Amino acid sequence: MSFENLKPLVSSILTKENTTRDEKLLAVCQLLTDSIDYYNWVGYYFANHETKTLHLGPYVGAETDHTVIPFGKGICGQVAESNANFVVPDVKAQDNYIACSFTVKSEIVVPLFVEGKNIGQIDIDSHVIDPFTEADERFLEFVNQEVAKLFL
């Protein structure tokens, strides 16, 4: 399914009534995993700025031991500090990569801003080398703009 076709589905999930924020986030993760064949793990991490750590939120995919990530460590931790998208075409080429699974070949992380503050990020792992394009970045920025409304 195209990113343009997914946008209204994402918005619909996030505006659904009688659903908790975590249920909505989990449903978005499930939609992305089901709809984009190279999105093999999709999840959210949320920042605790006092402890400078990221904490795993709703996700879809293989279980992970990485439930708490210090700022600066791994791709997610670097995004917590840089406030910028990070696309990793080949995780084996990254020095500061936290290996989740030998099946993960690439990763994209896009920060989640609420009123200008980075409160977390969407993290996507792929079993394919170099699948992520600028279109993925723009789409995930849209997803996070919609998700941000849940925190206002």
Side-chain angles (χ1 to χ4, degrees):
M1 185 176 299
S2 77
F3 293 137
E4 286 307 310
N5 289 339
L6 284 171
K7 285 180 177 182
L9 299 176
V10 168
S11 298
S12 175
I13 288 169
L14 294 172
T15 55
K16 188 174 180 186
E17 293 186 21
N18 302 318
T19 309
T20 68
R21 182 166 52 204
D22 279 357
E23 288 170 336
K24 291 174 184 179
L25 292 173
L26 184 61
V28 167
C29 293
Q30 190 68 59
L31 173 69
L32 299 185
T33 302
D34 291 347
S35 302
I36 302 168
D37 62 353
Y38 55 92
Y39 283 20
N40 303 112
W41 190 98
V42 178
Y44 276 90
Y45 281 93
F46 292 98
N48 179 325
H49 289 280
E50 289 179 17
T51 60
K52 295 201 177 300
T53 52
L54 294 166
H55 297 265
L56 182 62
Y59 73 94
V60 171
E63 284 193 39
T64 180
D65 293 334
H66 304 124
T67 58
V68 179
I69 299 173
F71 283 16
K73 186 163 175 59
I75 307 310
C76 290
Q78 291 176 74
V79 169
E81 290 184 331
S82 72
N83 297 320
N85 298 351
F86 199 154
V87 178
V88 181
D90 182 353
V91 296
K92 289 182 180 172
Q94 273 297 317
D95 291 338
N96 190 7
Y97 173 70
I98 303 172
C100 296
S101 165
F102 69 92
T103 59
V104 176
K105 306 290 187 217
S106 56
E107 182 173 11
I108 185 171
V109 179
V110 175
L112 170 61
F113 295 100
V114 175
E115 296 180 332
K117 184 176 183 180
N118 182 349
I119 67 154
Q121 54 204 228
I122 189 168
D123 177 21
I124 299 175
D125 294 340
S126 179
H127 298 164
V128 178
I129 289 181
D130 199 18
F132 303 113
T133 67
E134 187 176 328
D136 291 276
E137 287 188 74
R138 298 299 82 82
F139 172 67
L140 295 171
E141 289 167 354
F142 165 83
V143 171
N144 277 354
Q145 287 168 359
E146 294 296 294
V147 167
K149 296 173 186 175
L150 299 175
F151 293 86
L152 296 174

